[in-house]
């Protein structure tokens, strides 16, 4: 029977995980690092606790402090990930924005921010990551959203 740890080995691969500093994204990034991937963690705050853990399992963690609700900052993610880690093999679009409170109180600015993070940034990161992956003819993208 095949060794499961070898079947799922990601040694030498680079995973970009948005919203990796806490919650589900941190769990995803931790699992990817434990499987052997180097991590590029994206969020509005540095992913310090994640970086400590990733270092302890012998992998690298690059933290990019960027706000995905700003289209210009979203455009920076993949170029900066490639500059820091050399390539992108895996993209996990985990970061998500929502509004709290009654729907009738949601402002156009609130709604715009939700769409920027949940749709625009996801699409643009997928496009940019695919351009990096295409020459190697392999790579994976996913999202935590239902
Ligand atoms: N929890 C659930 O039950 C559930 C169920 C289904 C789907 N999901 C989806 O799974 C994802 C993660 O959920 P979670 O519960 O772990 O959420 P969470 O604890 O609220 O974490 C959200 C993450 O997204 C990042 N983020 C938010 N806005 C951002 C922005 N403008 N720019 C960059 N990063 C941003 C945050 O990092 P910073 O604060 O550093 O920016 C944080 O790391 C979300 O997309 C959510 O919709 C969650």
């Amino acid at each position: 029977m095949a060794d499961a740890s070898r079947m799922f080995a990601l040694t030498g691969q680079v995973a970009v995980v948005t919203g990796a500093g806490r919650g589900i994204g941190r769990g995803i990034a931790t699992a990817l690092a434990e499987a052997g991937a180097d991590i590029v963690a994206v969020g509005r705050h540095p992913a310090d606790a994640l970086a400590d853990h990733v270092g302890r399992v012998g992998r690298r963690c690059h933290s990019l402090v960027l706000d995905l609700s700003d289209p210009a900052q979203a455009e920076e993610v993949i170029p900066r990930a490639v500059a820091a880690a050399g390539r992108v093999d895996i993209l996990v679009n985990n970061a998500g924005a929502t509004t709290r409170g009654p729907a009738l109180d949601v402002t156009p600015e609130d709604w715009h921010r939700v769409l920027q993070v949940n749709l625009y940034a996801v699409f643009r990161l997928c496009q940019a990551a695919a351009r990096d992956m295409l020459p190697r003819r392999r790579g994976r993208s996913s999202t935590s959203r239902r």
Side-chain angles (χ1 to χ4, degrees):
M1 197 166 82
D3 175 2
S5 66
R6 285 180 60 191
M7 281 173 63
F8 294 104
L10 299 174
T11 310
Q13 299 202 28
V14 174
V16 175
V17 183
T18 66
R22 62 183 151 93
I24 294 169
R26 185 164 153 192
I28 292 169
T30 298
L32 291 170
E34 290 174 353
D38 289 337
I39 305 298
V40 179
V42 183
R44 292 165 298 180
H45 309 90
D48 293 336
L50 172 71
D52 285 348
H53 182 80
V54 170
R56 278 198 298 277
V57 299
R59 308 310 314 175
R60 291 185 179 191
C61 182
H62 308 271
S63 186
L64 300 184
V65 177
L66 292 167
D67 184 344
L68 295 171
S69 70
D70 174 358
Q73 294 187 50
E75 298 296 331
E76 289 185 40
V77 171
I78 299 301
R80 284 181 57 179
V82 171
R87 57 196 275 167
V88 175
D89 300 294
I90 299 161
L91 168 64
V92 182
N93 285 295
N94 162 78
T98 188
T99 59
R100 309 238 179 256
L104 293 183
D105 294 341
V106 173
T107 65
E109 293 74 22
D110 291 335
W111 190 236
H112 189 67
R113 178 179 55 81
V114 169
L115 296 184
Q116 286 292 345
V117 176
N118 295 356
L119 293 179
Y120 180 85
V122 170
F123 181 66
R124 293 295 287 165
L125 266 64
C126 284
Q127 278 189 318
R131 288 195 182 97
D132 184 72
M133 294 169 180
L134 260 176
R136 298 187 299 280
R137 302 193 67 77
R138 60 177 295 139
R140 295 284 184 274
S141 298
S142 72
T143 172
S144 302
R145 242 163 316 288
R146 289 181 189 162

